[in-house]
Amino acid sequence: TIGEVAEDIGFKAYAVGGFVRDLLQKQKNLDLDIVVEGDGIIFAKQLVKTLGGRVRTHDRFKTANITLANGFKIDVATARLEYYEYPAALPTVELSSIKLDLYRRDFTINAMALQLNPALFGTLIDFFSCQNDLKDKLIKVLHNLSFVEDPSRILRAVRFEKRMDFKIARHTERLIHGAVKMDLFGKTNNPRIFTELKQIFEEENPILAIRRLADLELFQFLWPDLLPNLKIDRRFLHIIRQAQQAISWFHLLYLDEPIEPWRVYLLAIMARSRPRQIETFCERFQIHDHICRELIIQKLTADEIGNKLYGRIPEKNSEINQMLKNLTNEGLLYLMAIARKKEIKKTVSLYVTSLRNVQSLLNGDDLKKLGYIPGEQFKKMFSDITDARLDGLVKSREDEKQFIL
Ligand code: ATP
């Protein structure tokens, strides 16, 4: 259908990027990227007329995002052949726009396309021997200036290498070392770098990627303030590992509460940093002030609680509740990551899975019937009843009534 829509309006459409890579590897990929030789916006609007769904267009870049009724997402881009867009090093002849589009991509494994127009549907377009690299499990840039053009690709290389168990090709790795030496990475405060870092932290197991970043000497750019204090020592790795375990554990609970793993990993990496260093990190990568403040508050709160719990685990559940109630899910998981005793993790886990859900059985109406007047007093009563329930002092509604009398 997609190809027919393109054909009808005289454009050529191609599936590109990660979708093709994953298809060739028989992996699922729910995001379809399409490049159109023609006008991506006209094409996207036409496609939505045929398939239904919603479309959002970005006129300046001639791109569009489509969400179909079943949740499937399609990103549409336009392959344009405009003179000023040519990389200086390239001859301006003999390039079809799809070829140029693919040449501008990050790695060969992401630089293949599939024809979608009916006559040639399914034909693989591979200008740069990409399929071989995919077979050989190699991450390779398309040209030597790739990391100069966009240093965030270094993070992408590491992410793909670790996710798919590929290898960054030797020449490409040399270019990374070169970029590091030239301080290419350090000079930029490109928000893309943070976006890519976040992507690494959203992977199922980012630990290998984090280590690889350290080995490639990228830590000094990502967290320059941490040096020379920061050592990739056992304690550091232990905290990251515990962060990963805590996040997996939380996902297994199926709580239906979305969490942002990147916050946990970032705090875990910066576990030994001061608030000022977190601020500097946020400023460099243009992270919003309110997110930065939240990160710092969660860290300071969790650090303090971690120390208290190391000294003594409260006997009363109500006390545990009181202690942990100001932590977000990410703050709680960070606390589990820095825990220096098993009992601390157990306490947090008890709080997450049960204590924090305990409520009084009596509700507002019940209290009114008992002659109380709604307002501040109610809040205090509910909180007292909840504490009593947590500590096993009341079990039934009757108990609760007796308790407040
Ligand atoms: P994932 O499975 O993680 O989504 P993906 O390959 O689909 O991987 P995206 O970040 O969605 O990754 O990017 C889609 C495509 O856009 C990539 O396959 C790649 O061809 C291209 N791309 C993305 N980022 C860059 C970049 N920084 N430089 C060049 N090309 C890029």
Side-chain angles (χ1 to χ4, degrees):
T1 328
I2 298 176
E4 282 163 10
V5 171
E7 188 75 27
D8 283 347
I9 47 180
F11 297 157
K12 279 193 192 153
Y14 306 86
V16 294
F19 181 84
V20 181
R21 177 197 72 220
D22 291 343
L23 191 73
L24 290 173
Q25 290 201 294
K26 303 191 173 61
Q27 298 275 341
K28 248 207 231 139
N29 187 323
L30 295 179
D31 300 322
L32 175 59
D33 280 318
I34 292 182
V35 167
V36 176
E37 283 179 332
D39 185 319
I41 292 187
I42 296 176
F43 167 78
K45 286 184 177 160
Q46 199 60 33
L47 191 61
V48 166
K49 271 193 202 148
T50 315
L51 297 180
R54 283 175 294 122
V55 62
R56 236 188 29 219
T57 59
H58 312 278
D59 293 339
R60 211 175 125 218
F61 303 105
K62 284 218 178 283
T63 59
N65 312 99
I66 298 175
T67 310
L68 299 183
N70 61 7
F72 195 82
K73 290 203 171 83
I74 305 178
D75 286 339
V76 178
T78 307
R80 285 174 299 176
L81 258 189
E82 284 164 42
Y83 181 73
Y84 65 87
E85 284 184 318
Y86 275 93
L90 263 185
T92 49
V93 284
E94 280 184 64
L95 282 181
S96 65
S97 33
I98 185 68
K99 186 166 182 181
L100 185 59
D101 182 279
L102 295 173
Y103 186 72
R104 286 205 196 100
R105 286 174 185 266
D106 48 1
F107 308 113
T108 53
I109 54 164
N110 289 335
M112 285 173 276
L114 281 177
Q115 299 252 23
L116 296 177
N117 289 52
L120 292 166
F121 184 87
T123 311
L124 181 74
I125 299 187
D126 178 1
F127 292 112
F128 315 108
S129 153
C130 307
Q131 242 189 320
N132 282 337
D133 293 339
L134 193 64
K135 261 193 224 118
D136 297 340
K137 298 178 175 262
L138 285 176
I139 315 276
K140 242 189 225 174
V141 286
L142 286 133
H143 55 85
N144 287 349
L145 291 180
S146 192
F147 296 126
V148 179
E149 242 169 59
D150 179 358
S152 76
R153 288 176 187 159
I154 300 178
L155 297 179
R156 293 178 65 83
V158 169
R159 175 161 65 93
F160 287 126
E161 182 183 67
K162 295 308 169 200
R163 183 211 289 169
M164 310 195 292
D165 198 15
F166 277 32
K167 185 96 196 87
I168 297 177
R170 262 179 49 209
H171 180 63
T172 298
E173 186 163 337
R174 231 176 277 134
L175 293 174
I176 295 180
H177 290 307
V180 169
K181 277 217 188 76
M182 281 163 64
D183 198 15
L184 234 167
F185 209 78
K187 279 184 207 128
T188 135
N189 56 357
N190 182 345
R192 258 180 147 165
I193 290 180
F194 179 62
T195 308
E196 290 299 340
L197 189 63
K198 245 161 100 173
Q199 291 274 345
I200 289 183
F201 293 156
E202 302 295 322
E203 295 282 325
E204 208 166 296
N205 184 356
I207 295 175
L208 289 177
I210 293 172
R211 286 192 84 144
R212 184 76 155 124
L213 291 178
D215 291 343
L216 289 169
E217 297 180 12
L218 293 175
F219 263 56
Q220 52 194 309
F221 298 127
L222 292 167
W223 295 283
D225 310 318
L226 292 187
L227 296 166
N229 319 7
L230 181 97
K231 286 189 242 75
I232 308 290
D233 55 13
R234 281 181 51 197
R235 171 85 184 135
F236 176 86
L237 287 172
H238 180 68
I239 292 178
I240 309 289
R241 223 174 284 127
Q242 295 215 92
Q244 198 256 329
Q245 281 164 6
I247 292 166
S248 306
W249 166 80
F250 192 88
H251 283 316
L252 280 178
L253 296 175
Y254 291 111
L255 289 181
D256 239 7
E257 293 174 42
I259 50 161
E260 296 183 58
W262 73 265
R263 293 182 188 240
V264 185
Y265 284 115
L266 184 67
L267 290 183
I269 287 175
M270 302 194 81
R272 286 180 272 189
S273 305
R274 296 176 187 289
R276 179 73 207 125
Q277 296 170 323
I278 297 178
E279 264 171 26
T280 309
F281 180 89
C282 292
E283 277 161 21
R284 273 185 69 210
F285 296 112
Q286 298 166 34
I287 299 170
H288 277 295
D289 282 352
H290 71 274
I291 296 180
C292 184
R293 267 197 303 276
E294 176 73 16
L295 285 167
I296 292 174
I297 290 171
Q298 288 300 312
K299 179 173 187 302
L300 292 179
T301 313
D303 285 344
E304 192 188 329
I305 297 172
N307 282 334
K308 273 196 197 141
L309 290 176
Y310 187 70
R312 183 185 80 92
I313 307 277
E315 273 155 37
K316 285 185 174 172
N317 286 341
S318 60
E319 208 184 317
I320 297 175
N321 244 27
Q322 191 60 32
M323 226 177 191
L324 298 180
K325 70 175 189 205
N326 291 326
L327 286 175
T328 59
N329 283 330
E330 288 84 357
L332 290 162
L333 296 177
Y334 166 70
L335 175 57
M336 289 176 111
I338 57 166
R340 279 175 293 164
K341 271 189 197 166
K342 271 210 189 82
E343 291 75 24
I344 300 179
K345 277 196 274 183
K346 272 198 201 137
T347 305
V348 180
S349 120
L350 177 72
Y351 170 77
V352 171
T353 53
S354 83
L355 302 186
R356 67 173 175 175
N357 304 314
V358 171
Q359 281 180 346
S360 65
L361 296 178
L362 296 181
N363 58 28
D365 280 345
D366 297 324
L367 293 190
K368 274 191 232 159
K369 275 186 210 142
L370 289 170
Y372 296 100
I373 300 150
E376 271 307 302
Q377 194 193 8
F378 261 40
K379 242 187 168 169
K380 170 90 174 72
M381 290 171 88
F382 279 131
S383 139
D384 288 348
I385 299 172
T386 305
D387 282 354
R389 284 190 71 79
L390 281 165
D391 297 339
L393 301 176
V394 297
K395 296 220 156 59
S396 62
R397 284 167 60 89
E398 251 342 283
D399 289 352
E400 291 188 2
K401 279 186 194 163
Q402 291 300 325
F403 177 78
I404 48 173
L405 292 174

